[in-house]
Amino acid sequence: MKQTYTIGEIASMLRINVDAIRFYERKGLVHPQKNKDNKYRIFTMNNILELLDVIYYRELDMSISEISSILHSGTKSSMQALLREKRENAQRRLLFERQLIRKIEHIEQIYEMIDTNRKVSVRKFPKTWIMRQGYKKDEIMKSQIENFTKDQFVMSSVFYSYHIENQEMQNLYITMEQNIMEEFEMSWDHCEELNLGTCICKVAKMEKNILQKESLKDMFQYAKRNGFQCEKEIYVHEIPLTSYMDECNYFAEIYLPVKQKNETR
């Protein structure tokens, strides 16, 4: 006589929810028998193997309808095509996850700079391309949300440019670094480069999401001490460390493009 199992035993064995097993049964992916006396489900090793198939295909990010098609009417050629599609999707996710890790590491560096009260530094601005730009924040942000994929939205950055003398906002840029675009095989042929060159940089708190003049004093002092000539605009990359609505944890990376006084661009 074949050994049988209850639905609870199967759920514990496979580490899945009882409701999930019932759902797969309703979808015709697993076929337990029912006890005629008490209507309880009776599972055998064959049913466990059915569930293992479902778990495997779910891990490949296949939908219930795709799994049903494979189990009931799948062919070698259709299976190959489906696996090829899933492989490409998985590779795309790996690219996204790799870039996401880099973004997380960058945010962790921002926290460290805040916690250690690290002051200004000099940095070469990475090769970056402008995806959208304009003066009206709501209009540009709406365009970004509507037209970017999820990957593009997460990996893009928002920069504001301010006039160096009066700190009035000049422009808004939606940007993406070239190394990210290369990994995602995105073209920058029709994009304008945001070329800031050498920059004096710091992280500063944004008071009520507004750039404070006090945040810039040590940057100007650093430029003067080290023989740098400041360009006409300051670029601000806003970083809400918790959420856009949390003013207490709203910081920004500030980039002040500079050149040596005897240098020509």
Side-chain angles (χ1 to χ4, degrees), residues 140-165:
I140 299 301
M141 295 298 289
K142 183 173 181 288
S143 174
Q144 179 195 25
I145 293 168
E146 290 178 339
N147 297 296
F148 280 26
T149 65
K150 181 192 72 173
D151 293 357
Q152 292 171 342
F153 185 84
V154 172
M155 296 307 163
S156 62
S157 299
V158 178
F159 280 86
Y160 297 87
S161 64
Y162 293 83
H163 195 279
I164 195 170
E165 293 181 357

Side-chain angles (χ1 to χ4, degrees), residues 51-219:
L51 284 168
L52 287 173
D53 279 337
V54 174
I55 292 169
Y56 165 69
Y57 288 125
R58 289 298 281 166
E59 288 296 320
L60 293 181
D61 199 32
M62 291 189 185
S63 67
I64 295 299
S65 61
E66 287 173 331
I67 296 172
S68 180
S69 175
I70 292 169
L71 298 182
H72 297 133
S73 58
T75 64
K76 179 182 175 182
S77 59
S78 64
M79 186 64 188
Q80 285 178 313
L82 190 56
L83 286 175
R84 187 161 49 248
E85 175 190 338
K86 296 305 175 183
R87 174 174 53 78
E88 292 170 357
N89 291 342
Q91 288 173 333
R92 186 89 180 171
R93 286 199 305 275
L94 284 173
L95 288 176
F96 178 78
E97 293 294 334
R98 185 160 60 241
Q99 290 297 342
L100 192 59
I101 288 171
R102 291 175 184 170
K103 189 160 189 172
I104 291 170
E105 290 173 343
H106 181 67
I107 298 298
E108 288 176 335
Q109 290 172 359
I110 298 298
Y111 273 111
E112 183 182 349
M113 292 172 73
I114 295 168
D115 292 342
T116 58
N117 197 27
R118 196 180 304 172
K119 301 297 183 181
V120 298
S121 61
V122 177
R123 191 185 311 168
K124 186 74 173 178
F125 193 76
K127 199 168 185 65
T128 300
W129 298 92
I130 300 170
M131 315 293 286
R132 297 281 191 282
Q133 64 176 307
Y135 300 97
K136 298 180 180 179
K137 178 178 179 179
D138 287 355
E139 182 179 302
I140 299 301
M141 295 298 289
K142 183 173 181 288
S143 174
Q144 179 195 25
I145 293 168
E146 290 178 339
N147 297 296
F148 280 26
T149 65
K150 181 192 72 173
D151 293 357
Q152 292 171 342
F153 185 84
V154 172
M155 296 307 163
S156 62
S157 299
V158 178
F159 280 86
Y160 297 87
S161 64
Y162 293 83
H163 195 279
I164 195 170
E165 293 181 357
N166 55 27
Q167 279 81 59
E168 288 185 0
M169 196 189 93
Q170 302 294 302
N171 216 338
L172 181 154
Y173 304 94
I174 308 295
T175 70
M176 192 172 297
E177 293 184 20
Q178 181 169 314
N179 67 331
I180 297 175
M181 298 179 74
E182 287 175 345
E183 287 218 1
F184 284 96
E185 298 180 346
M186 296 169 57
S187 172
W188 55 84
D189 291 344
H190 302 291
C191 298
E192 179 183 344
E193 184 180 358
L194 183 63
N195 184 9
L196 304 188
T198 301
C199 296
I200 295 174
C201 310
K202 71 173 292 185
V203 174
K205 188 171 183 180
M206 299 282 283
E207 298 292 341
K208 296 184 178 179
N209 303 353
I210 298 173
L211 179 65
Q212 303 296 309
K213 293 183 180 180
E214 289 295 318
S215 301
L216 307 175
K217 280 187 177 181
D218 53 354
M219 301 180 78

Side-chain angles (χ1 to χ4, degrees), residues 204-256:
K205 188 171 183 180
M206 299 282 283
E207 298 292 341
K208 296 184 178 179
N209 303 353
I210 298 173
L211 179 65
Q212 303 296 309
K213 293 183 180 180
E214 289 295 318
S215 301
L216 307 175
K217 280 187 177 181
D218 53 354
M219 301 180 78
F220 295 141
Q221 291 169 354
Y222 185 94
K224 186 175 181 180
R225 285 198 310 269
N226 291 274
F228 285 116
Q229 178 179 328
C230 301
E231 298 292 345
K232 296 181 179 180
E233 289 186 319
I234 303 158
Y235 292 81
V236 175
H237 176 208
E238 294 187 7
I239 306 174
L241 292 179
T242 55
S243 75
Y244 282 100
M245 306 307 294
D246 182 3
E247 294 183 357
C248 295
N249 290 289
Y250 210 102
F251 287 79
E253 287 181 293
I254 304 175
Y255 293 84
L256 173 60

